[in-house]
Each structure stands twice: as structure tokens, then as C-alpha cells.
Amino acid sequence: DIINKVARRITVNELPTMDDFSNNTFVIRPNFQEKFRSALVQEMLHDLVNDFFKEKTYDTEESLVWSKEFSALVKEKLKELKLPRYKYVVQCIIGEQRGEGVKVASRCLWDSDTDNVVQESFVNESLFCVVAAYGIYYY
């Protein structure tokens, strides 16, 4: 019954033609305006990390919550850039400031023409924060 109703609605004039599919919608590279621009993201990340952590003092229990909250905040701000087909990964590390050194490293396999990473650090009297925001173009 349903198939017959649908079949009656479709006429030869309503069927798609090859002209409807002539434009290729597969995009291999983003336009220049749609690329992940590290300078813009760096400035945004610098402002966010300073505003979020400037009044905070280190707390072991709270640092886990702050890390999740801040990562979500950065991810939302990155999404507001409305870069089509980009996926974002945000890594936030918070530790107690004791005057010791810390090294953070990462490895990625990506397309250097479209993908990028921005890092920002924050240090006050009681804590440090290292944030990395990755923008990966989804083919």
C-alpha cells in the first residue's frame, strides 16, 4: 500500500537528472578562509586561559573538574569559529606549582597543510596549566 502511494507520487519529471549531480561536493582541502588559523586560536586560547585561571589556587580535587570544564569551554569556542569539517581535540593539564619543571609532549599523524595545533601555558603562585588545542580537518 505505502509503496504504491509513493510510486504514484513520483513521476518522470520529478526524478533527478545527471545535471543535478554534476557538481562534485567532495572537498579535499578547505578554502584559505576556512583553515584553522593558529594565530587567531592562539590569541583566543591566551585570553581564555588567563581569564579562567587567574583567581584560582591549586586544589587536587578541583583540578580534575577545572580541567574538564576548561577543555569543554575551549572546544565550544573553537566550534564558534564555524570551520567546516574540522574536528577539535583539547588537552588540558593542571598541576601544583612547586618550582619544578614539567614537560608535555604529544605526537600526531596529520596533514600539515590543513591540520594544526596551538599551545598555551599559564602559571601563577599555586598552579600551572598547559593547554593544547588541535584542529584536524576531516576528509
Side-chain angles (χ1 to χ4, degrees):
D1 238 4
I2 294 175
I3 295 173
N4 290 334
K5 288 180 183 178
V6 172
R8 278 187 234 135
R9 289 183 193 163
I10 297 177
T11 63
V12 176
N13 294 336
E14 294 176 356
L15 294 176
T17 63
M18 287 306 292
D19 293 334
D20 296 333
F21 299 106
S22 63
N23 294 333
N24 187 359
T25 59
F26 184 74
V27 178
I28 292 179
R29 300 265 186 251
N31 296 332
F32 179 73
Q33 295 84 6
E34 297 174 340
K35 280 191 175 184
F36 186 88
R37 292 185 291 267
S38 58
L40 176 69
V41 176
Q42 180 74 45
E43 184 180 327
M44 178 189 72
L45 199 56
H46 178 77
D47 294 341
L48 286 174
V49 76
N50 284 319
D51 289 344
F52 191 86
F53 289 105
K54 67 180 174 186
E55 300 295 325
K56 302 223 186 303
T57 57
Y58 184 77
D59 183 295
T60 306
E61 301 297 322
E62 288 293 316
S63 64
L64 177 62
V65 175
W66 294 338
S67 180
K68 289 179 182 180
E69 285 177 359
F70 188 70
S71 295
L73 174 66
V74 171
K75 204 169 175 184
E76 287 304 312
K77 292 294 185 182
L78 288 170
K79 287 179 183 179
E80 288 176 9
L81 296 175
K82 294 188 168 113
L83 299 175
R85 302 183 77 170
Y86 268 92
K87 304 298 178 198
Y88 304 107
V89 176
V90 178
Q91 180 183 26
C92 179
I93 300 168
I94 301 171
E96 186 173 9
Q97 174 67 345
R98 294 183 180 176
E100 301 170 351
V102 65
K103 292 186 180 188
V104 178
S106 65
R107 292 181 115 176
C108 300
L109 179 63
W110 66 23
D111 184 347
S112 61
D113 186 44
T114 58
D115 306 338
N116 214 333
V117 63
V118 174
Q119 298 175 0
E120 183 65 33
S121 332
F122 174 84
V123 178
N124 68 13
E125 299 80 33
S126 67
L127 64 84
F128 69 87
C129 176
V130 179
V131 182
Y134 300 84
I136 298 105
Y137 188 74
Y138 183 71
Y139 293 98

